[in-house]
Amino acid sequence: AQGKNKKNFNKKGQKKKVTDPLSRKEWFQLRAPAPFQPESFGYTCANRTQGLSKQIFILEKVEDQVKGRVVTSNQADLAKNQDPFAWRKIKLIVDDTRGRDALTSFYGVDMTRDQLSALIKKRKTLIEAIQDCKSQDGYVIRVFVMPSPRNPKTKRRKPTMPLLPNKNKLEEGLTKLSQVIAKANATQLLSLFTSETIEKKITKEVSAIYPVKSVRVRKIKVIQRPKIDATKLAEMHENDKRNLSKAEGRKPKGERG
């Protein structure tokens, strides 16, 4: 009966407590390695640990959820005076955390779609050379380059790029690229590929085989990474190595003419 039972029959059901999902998040500031600026360029979050359950006996820390994440940012957001290189995407991977700072290291370079479309033009044969290189500190990277043919002085002949077997000769022109990368570490690799230094060297080598206007590094893929400890990661984030050269004031789009 209603008088003997202590339950309140007027209540049909209690509402569940609604909590904001963002209230359980822990936020970390992303820090880029040298030669980029030490200021934070973004945030990443992870769920705060609530407690143990009967099935889970190991408590995972919030910092462990952040480690191993790959973040992408353009070069203009990572350093000052780099607006002409806003089309270049830099990939970084979180290796460790220091307080609420997520320390990252080099993981690859890519190109935006609009810049890639500007390099591809009609009546010009698309050719791409690939070279595997190994750095001094154990990075194994795969470099993809795209040459742009030089327009002839006379307009009677339309410019084209050579196909095989001249493609193999173009790849042979990239042999000095492996020699340059073999003497560089991770910080020097970022300095080479985030400026026009390495592209000008490749253009000089390839021009002896075929007349090209320029050579663009389309993509850099990290095949193998060395084991990075706390000491090595601290060397990548030293402030005295953050000296990225100022970009020239030119248009970021593809080659003209």
Side-chain angles (χ1 to χ4, degrees), residues 193-213:
F193 288 111
T194 52
S195 62
E196 294 182 331
T197 305
I198 198 69
E199 294 178 349
K200 290 180 180 179
K201 291 183 179 180
I202 300 174
T203 304
K204 186 178 179 180
E205 295 296 327
V206 176
S207 297
I209 302 173
Y210 190 86
V212 295
K213 187 174 183 179

Side-chain angles (χ1 to χ4, degrees), residues 142-162:
R142 183 167 294 166
V143 184
F144 300 81
V145 297
M146 289 179 56
S148 178
R150 185 183 298 276
N151 293 337
K153 295 181 180 179
T154 59
K155 296 297 182 179
R156 297 178 181 177
R157 184 180 178 184
K158 296 176 181 179
T160 56
M161 279 296 292

Side-chain angles (χ1 to χ4, degrees), residues 75 84-85 87-88 109-111 115-116 118-120 126-130 143-149 174 177 192-203 206 212-220 248 250-256:
Q75 187 173 335
F85 296 118
W87 50 267
R88 183 177 287 129
V109 179
D110 205 347
M111 182 184 293
Q115 177 69 13
L116 181 60
L119 296 177
I120 301 174
L126 179 64
I127 187 172
E128 187 177 55
I130 304 173
V143 184
F144 300 81
V145 297
M146 289 179 56
S148 178
L174 302 177
L177 176 64
L192 287 173
F193 288 111
T194 52
S195 62
E196 294 182 331
T197 305
I198 198 69
E199 294 178 349
K200 290 180 180 179
K201 291 183 179 180
I202 300 174
T203 304
V206 176
V212 295
K213 187 174 183 179
S214 64
V215 176
R216 288 292 181 192
V217 177
R218 185 186 69 83
K219 184 179 180 181
I220 299 173
E248 298 178 0
R250 59 179 181 81
K251 295 182 179 181
K253 283 294 180 181
E255 309 301 331
R256 302 295 181 184

Side-chain angles (χ1 to χ4, degrees), residues 24-245:
R24 299 186 295 109
K25 302 289 185 180
E26 289 286 346
W27 294 87
F28 295 85
Q29 294 186 3
L30 297 171
R31 304 286 181 179
F36 301 118
Q37 296 297 320
E39 289 82 7
S40 172
F41 66 92
Y43 291 86
T44 184
C45 62
N47 289 327
R48 190 185 301 109
T49 307
Q50 298 295 326
L52 291 173
S53 61
K54 295 182 180 180
Q55 291 82 12
I56 302 175
F57 299 96
I58 301 176
L59 184 63
E60 185 180 10
K61 296 181 180 180
V62 186
E63 291 79 5
D64 296 337
Q65 301 179 23
V66 181
K67 293 178 182 178
R69 290 186 181 180
V70 178
V71 295
T72 305
S73 180
N74 57 28
Q75 187 173 335
D77 292 338
L78 295 176
K80 298 179 181 179
N81 302 321
Q82 298 295 318
D83 292 340
F85 296 118
W87 50 267
R88 183 177 287 129
K89 298 189 294 184
I90 308 297
K91 292 184 179 181
L92 303 172
I93 185 171
V94 180
D95 285 323
D96 199 2
T97 58
R98 186 183 299 168
R100 284 295 172 261
D101 293 337
L103 305 181
T104 61
S105 63
F106 173 66
Y107 198 68
V109 179
D110 205 347
M111 182 184 293
T112 57
R113 180 58 187 269
D114 59 339
Q115 177 69 13
L116 181 60
S117 300
L119 296 177
I120 301 174
K121 297 182 179 180
K122 61 182 181 180
R123 298 189 182 94
K124 290 187 179 181
T125 307
L126 179 64
I127 187 172
E128 187 177 55
I130 304 173
Q131 181 73 26
D132 290 348
C133 309
K134 187 174 182 179
S135 65
Q136 184 181 5
D137 50 358
Y139 275 89
V140 179
I141 62 176
R142 183 167 294 166
V143 184
F144 300 81
V145 297
M146 289 179 56
S148 178
R150 185 183 298 276
N151 293 337
K153 295 181 180 179
T154 59
K155 296 297 182 179
R156 297 178 181 177
R157 184 180 178 184
K158 296 176 181 179
T160 56
M161 279 296 292
L163 296 178
L164 291 175
N166 289 337
K167 180 181 177 181
N168 298 331
K169 295 181 180 180
L170 290 174
E171 293 179 352
E172 291 177 2
L174 302 177
T175 53
K176 286 195 174 182
L177 176 64
S178 302
Q179 300 175 4
V180 175
I181 295 178
K183 301 177 183 179
N185 53 20
T187 304
Q188 295 170 349
L189 281 178
L190 279 172
S191 300
L192 287 173
F193 288 111
T194 52
S195 62
E196 294 182 331
T197 305
I198 198 69
E199 294 178 349
K200 290 180 180 179
K201 291 183 179 180
I202 300 174
T203 304
K204 186 178 179 180
E205 295 296 327
V206 176
S207 297
I209 302 173
Y210 190 86
V212 295
K213 187 174 183 179
S214 64
V215 176
R216 288 292 181 192
V217 177
R218 185 186 69 83
K219 184 179 180 181
I220 299 173
K221 186 177 181 181
V222 176
I223 305 299
Q224 185 179 354
R225 297 174 66 244
K227 186 176 180 181
I228 299 178
D229 52 0
T231 305
K232 190 173 183 179
L233 189 62
E235 294 177 357
M236 294 181 182
H237 286 263
E238 291 180 356
N239 292 329
D240 56 349
K241 297 181 180 179
R242 302 181 185 272
N243 51 359
L244 190 62
S245 59

